[in-house]
Coordinates of all heavy atoms in Angstrom, one line a residue:
D297 N -10.2 7.0 -2.5 CA -11.0 5.9 -2.6 C -10.2 4.6 -2.6 O -10.7 3.6 -2.1 CB -11.7 6.0 -4.1 CG -12.8 7.2 -4.1 OD1 -13.1 7.6 -2.9 OD2 -13.1 7.7 -5.2
A298 N -9.0 4.5 -3.1 CA -8.2 3.4 -3.2 C -7.4 3.1 -2.1 O -7.1 1.9 -1.8 CB -7.4 3.4 -4.5
V299 N -6.8 4.1 -1.3 CA -5.8 3.9 -0.3 C -6.3 4.4 1.0 O -6.1 3.7 2.0 CB -4.5 4.5 -0.7 CG1 -3.4 4.3 0.3 CG2 -4.0 4.0 -2.1
E300 N -6.6 5.7 1.1 CA -6.7 6.4 2.4 C -8.0 6.0 3.1 O -8.0 5.6 4.3 CB -6.6 7.9 2.3 CG -5.3 8.3 1.6 CD -4.1 7.9 2.5 OE1 -4.1 7.6 3.7 OE2 -3.0 7.8 1.9
H301 N -9.2 6.3 2.5 CA -10.5 5.9 3.1 C -10.9 6.7 4.3 O -12.0 6.4 4.8 CB -10.6 4.5 3.3 CG -10.2 3.5 2.2 ND1 -11.0 3.5 1.0 CD2 -9.1 2.7 2.0 CE1 -10.4 2.5 0.2 NE2 -9.3 2.1 0.8
V302 N -10.1 7.6 4.8 CA -10.3 8.3 6.1 C -10.6 9.8 6.0 O -11.0 10.4 7.0 CB -9.3 8.0 7.0 CG1 -9.2 6.6 7.5 CG2 -7.9 8.4 6.5
S303 N -10.5 10.4 4.8 CA -10.6 11.8 4.6 C -11.5 12.1 3.5 O -11.8 11.3 2.7 CB -9.3 12.5 4.4 OG -8.5 11.8 3.4
S304 N -12.0 13.3 3.5 CA -13.0 13.7 2.4 C -12.2 14.4 1.3 O -11.2 15.0 1.4 CB -14.0 14.7 3.0 OG -13.4 15.9 3.2
W305 N -12.9 14.3 0.0 CA -12.4 14.9 -1.1 C -12.3 16.4 -1.0 O -11.4 17.0 -1.4 CB -13.2 14.5 -2.3 CG -12.9 15.2 -3.6 CD1 -11.8 14.9 -4.5 CD2 -13.4 16.4 -4.2 NE1 -11.7 15.8 -5.5 CE2 -12.7 16.8 -5.3 CE3 -14.6 17.2 -3.7 CZ2 -13.1 17.8 -6.1 CZ3 -14.9 18.3 -4.5 CH2 -14.2 18.5 -5.7
R306 N -13.4 17.0 -0.5 CA -13.5 18.4 -0.3 C -12.4 19.0 0.5 O -11.8 20.0 0.2 CB -14.8 18.8 0.2 CG -16.0 18.7 -0.8 CD -17.3 19.2 -0.1 NE -18.4 19.1 -1.1 CZ -19.1 17.9 -1.2 NH1 -18.9 16.8 -0.5 NH2 -20.1 17.9 -2.1
G307 N -12.2 18.4 1.7 CA -11.1 18.8 2.6 C -9.7 18.7 2.0 O -8.9 19.6 2.2
S308 N -9.5 17.5 1.3 CA -8.2 17.3 0.7 C -7.9 18.3 -0.4 O -6.8 19.0 -0.5 CB -8.1 15.9 0.1 OG -8.4 14.9 1.2
V309 N -8.9 18.6 -1.3 CA -8.7 19.5 -2.4 C -8.5 21.0 -1.8 O -7.7 21.7 -2.3 CB -9.9 19.5 -3.3 CG1 -9.8 20.7 -4.3 CG2 -10.0 18.3 -4.0
L310 N -9.2 21.3 -0.7 CA -9.1 22.7 0.0 C -7.6 22.7 0.5 O -7.0 23.8 0.1 CB -10.0 22.8 1.0 CG -9.9 24.1 1.9 CD1 -10.1 25.3 1.0 CD2 -10.9 24.0 3.1
I311 N -7.1 21.8 1.2 CA -5.7 21.9 1.7 C -4.7 22.0 0.5 O -3.8 22.8 0.5 CB -5.5 20.6 2.6 CG1 -6.3 20.7 3.7 CG2 -3.9 20.6 2.9 CD1 -6.2 19.4 4.6
F312 N -4.9 21.2 -0.5 CA -3.9 21.2 -1.6 C -4.0 22.6 -2.3 O -3.0 23.0 -2.8 CB -4.2 20.1 -2.7 CG -3.2 20.0 -3.7 CD1 -2.0 19.5 -3.6 CD2 -3.7 20.4 -5.0 CE1 -1.1 19.5 -4.7 CE2 -2.8 20.4 -6.2 CZ -1.5 20.0 -5.9
T313 N -5.2 23.1 -2.5 CA -5.4 24.4 -3.1 C -4.7 25.5 -2.4 O -4.0 26.4 -3.0 CB -6.9 24.7 -3.4 OG1 -7.5 23.7 -4.1 CG2 -7.1 26.0 -4.1
V314 N -4.9 25.5 -1.1 CA -4.2 26.5 -0.3 C -2.7 26.4 -0.3 O -2.0 27.4 -0.5 CB -4.6 26.4 1.2 CG1 -3.8 27.3 2.1 CG2 -6.1 26.7 1.4
F315 N -2.2 25.2 -0.3 CA -0.7 25.0 -0.6 C -0.3 25.5 -2.0 O 0.7 26.3 -2.1 CB -0.3 23.6 -0.4 CG 0.8 23.1 -1.2 CD1 2.1 23.5 -0.7 CD2 0.8 22.4 -2.4 CE1 3.2 23.3 -1.4 CE2 1.9 22.0 -3.1 CZ 3.2 22.5 -2.6
L316 N -1.1 25.2 -3.0 CA -0.7 25.5 -4.3 C -0.7 27.1 -4.5 O 0.2 27.7 -5.1 CB -1.6 25.0 -5.4 CG -1.0 24.7 -6.8 CD1 0.2 23.8 -6.7 CD2 -2.1 24.1 -7.8
L317 N -1.7 27.7 -3.9 CA -1.7 29.2 -3.9 C -0.5 29.8 -3.1 O 0.1 30.8 -3.6 CB -3.0 29.8 -3.2 CG -4.3 29.5 -4.1 CD1 -5.5 29.9 -3.4 CD2 -4.3 30.2 -5.4

Side-chain angles (χ1 to χ4, degrees):
D297 294 340
V299 179
E300 302 301 337
H301 306 294
V302 289
S303 48
S304 72
W305 172 83
R306 288 182 178 85
S308 302
V309 171
L310 176 61
I311 294 171
F312 182 75
T313 302
V314 170
F315 155 72
L316 207 59
L317 290 174

